[in-house]
Amino acid sequence: MALPLEGERARALEITTMVQMLAEGFLTSLQIFALTLVGALPLGMVVTFLRGSRCVVVRAITRVYISVMRGTPLMLQMFAIYFMPYYVFGIQLTPDSKWQATIVAFIINYAAYFAEIYRSGLQSIPRGQYEAAEVLGYSKPQTFCYIVLPQLIKRIMPAIGNEVITLVKDTSLAFAIGVGEMFSTAKALVASQVSMVPFGIAAAIYWVFNFIVEVALGRIEKMLAYYHD
């Protein structure tokens, strides 16, 4: 009777070890997620303003940038950013090059998507609110910060939420250039253990984190509910 019990304990230990390894990989995924948001959310706003610039050249360049970022795969962009320094400029790649290329690719890719979300939100604000703010003596920065921005955040939260949840899953693409995030760890475990269990555990971790993100975004939307359309 002892042998089956020992076998069960051994299997439990293997699963515990796999969870720990996947959790370590998820920390890398979480870093990609956090750094992308920190970089892409403000950069997206800058891109939005550039897209609305009075300068035709700036507008054209910004539109091309958005079109390329949205029209080509993120994985391809990572490869381009990773290999371009070497093949175009002859710069030797370093052990940190993979990580740097991943973060840069994610930021500039998601900034393009956020920029279009911001633009749609800004266009939904009635022109009369800008005129009323001008009559009341508000400067343009004051109008944006105190009148437009709160309404903008409320209107774009659902779209931003979708992109944030997509970002959680897209972190798995970093394995393509050798960054050791959770999905690459799961693939290695599946190959070594000849079992689909690591994929199941990884899926559960992704789902739990996305659920937490959904709850957090839902609370933010409720906080902004007093801004009625």
Side-chain angles (χ1 to χ4, degrees), residues 194-209:
V194 194
S195 170
M196 291 292 290
V197 172
F199 279 156
I201 297 172
I205 294 174
Y206 280 124
W207 177 79
V208 169
F209 185 72

Side-chain angles (χ1 to χ4, degrees), residues 87-212:
Y87 286 111
V88 177
F89 303 106
I91 300 174
Q92 291 297 322
L93 301 177
T94 67
D96 293 330
S97 296
K98 295 177 181 179
W99 175 255
Q100 294 166 354
T102 298
I103 299 304
V104 171
F106 269 79
I107 289 175
I108 63 175
N109 177 275
Y110 271 84
Y113 285 93
F114 288 144
E116 288 299 278
I117 293 173
Y118 294 153
R119 185 174 68 88
S120 65
L122 287 171
Q123 289 178 343
S124 70
I125 305 296
R127 183 61 191 171
Q129 296 197 20
Y130 294 93
E131 296 172 352
E134 186 177 357
V135 170
L136 292 172
Y138 282 83
S139 64
K140 288 185 178 180
Q142 288 176 325
T143 301
F144 180 78
C145 291
Y146 300 129
I147 298 176
V148 176
L149 186 59
Q151 298 179 79
L152 173 66
I153 294 174
K154 176 185 180 295
R155 295 179 185 216
I156 67 175
M157 276 305 298
I160 290 291
N162 287 335
E163 287 301 317
V164 170
I165 290 173
T166 300
L167 172 59
V168 175
K169 296 177 288 185
D170 277 354
T171 57
S172 62
L173 296 176
F175 88 95
I177 58 174
V179 175
E181 43 68 62
M182 185 171 67
F183 183 70
S184 59
T185 303
K187 283 186 63 181
L189 285 171
V190 167
S192 63
Q193 300 296 315
V194 194
S195 170
M196 291 292 290
V197 172
F199 279 156
I201 297 172
I205 294 174
Y206 280 124
W207 177 79
V208 169
F209 185 72
N210 269 328
F211 180 75
I212 294 171

Side-chain angles (χ1 to χ4, degrees), residues 28-45:
T28 302
S29 301
L30 197 57
Q31 288 179 323
I32 298 172
F33 171 79
L35 290 173
T36 300
L37 289 183
V38 169
L41 285 171
L43 180 58
M45 186 61 71

